[in-house]
Amino acid sequence: MILESLLKPTQHIVISEGILGGTNVISSQKTVADLKNFFQDEAERSKIDQQKLLYKVQAHLPVDEGTPGGLFFGTTWLQPGTIGDEYFMTKGHFHKLADRGEYYWGLKGGGVLILMDEKRNFRGEYVYPGSLHYIPGFTAHRVANTGNTELVFGACWPSDAGYNYDEIARNGFSCRLIKKEGKAHLISANSRNPAIL
Ligand code: M6P
Ligand code: ZN
């Protein structure tokens, strides 16, 4: 009787893999088709199997999107590979409420977190199992997989952050993560190379 208020958690996580279970967990995925115009070499992207999986996301959404004060928690599985010389990457976004921050952390594989502020200044941080990244507000974020295996990373963000994909779709990031002589290089984008939705 005394133990009645001790409850089993509604959620669980396979801690090393990031796999989420329990209530209110949603899954989504992005294919090569979904990243039309996001890579520098659009001609190459268009030649690849359009249904090929680039990444999948699981997220625990305990409250409605837009609710102030809550948190969302997710995992992303990003496949290895390149399009032209550019590594497979997530779309990347600013937040709709632009001042909202986010945490990312590396779980498996290796890559780079690409960050760009509102003045289009960019920087990259290595992602690896155990890396922890604080993404400040007003900062677009995208992850690229530079390894030969799946890159898995976790994320936690405010439930009212929302997504602003438009800015990236219009102007892209000011940098690209490319493979040159087998190594990753973060280079300034030579053109704005707008990604038209
Ligand atoms: C992380 C979080 C999610 C995001 C996902 C994929 O898990 O930041 O909010 O949706 O990465 O990134 P994107 O939405 O930019 O494709
Ligand atoms: Zn975000």
Side-chain angles (χ1 to χ4, degrees):
M1 286 303 187
I2 291 164
L3 300 180
E4 261 178 8
S5 59
L6 275 174
L7 305 175
K8 210 174 157 225
T10 56
Q11 310 308 131
H12 51 268
I13 179 167
V14 182
I15 204 87
S16 56
E17 308 278 332
I19 300 166
L20 304 180
T23 56
N24 301 309
V25 173
I26 57 119
S27 300
S28 62
Q29 57 180 50
K30 294 278 183 287
T31 63
V32 166
D34 293 315
L35 271 82
K36 185 170 185 220
N37 290 313
F38 278 78
F39 290 89
Q40 177 128 48
D41 197 337
E42 172 55 21
E44 270 304 308
R45 190 212 58 84
S46 68
K47 283 185 213 151
I48 300 170
D49 172 13
Q50 297 299 294
Q51 296 318 307
K52 185 181 163 64
L53 177 72
L54 279 182
Y55 57 101
K56 62 181 186 191
V57 178
Q58 267 196 327
H60 175 228
L61 311 180
V63 294
D64 288 341
E65 282 244 34
T67 305
L71 292 171
F72 291 158
F73 187 98
T75 303
T76 302
W77 288 265
L78 175 59
Q79 297 309 301
T82 50
I83 292 180
D85 58 4
E86 195 171 10
Y87 293 103
F88 283 3
M89 61 190 182
T90 59
K91 287 176 82 170
H93 56 272
F94 285 99
H95 290 146
K96 191 166 158 191
L97 293 189
D99 66 350
R100 299 306 196 250
E102 183 162 357
Y103 276 108
Y104 274 9
W105 56 93
L107 288 169
K108 290 179 94 171
V112 173
L113 167 63
I114 302 162
L115 300 164
M116 180 182 76
D117 69 19
E118 291 191 313
K119 290 180 179 151
R120 299 182 62 76
N121 297 313
F122 66 83
R123 64 190 189 276
E125 293 180 5
Y126 285 111
V127 179
Y128 50 86
S131 67
L132 179 63
H133 313 269
Y134 177 65
I135 302 163
F138 304 103
T139 305
H141 37 292
R142 154 183 287 170
V143 171
N145 185 348
T146 58
N148 300 318
T149 58
E150 195 173 54
L151 171 62
V152 188
F153 67 94
C156 185
W157 65 102
S159 49
D160 62 357
Y163 298 92
N164 169 6
Y165 290 109
D166 287 1
E167 176 56 30
I168 303 306
R170 277 198 203 100
N171 297 318
F173 273 66
S174 53
C175 60
R176 293 189 175 277
L177 193 74
I178 61 149
K179 186 175 186 174
K180 206 174 160 193
E181 287 153 11
K183 276 185 61 185
H185 299 265
L186 188 62
I187 58 161
S188 189
N190 51 13
S191 75
R192 285 212 152 186
N193 190 36
I196 303 140
L197 286 181

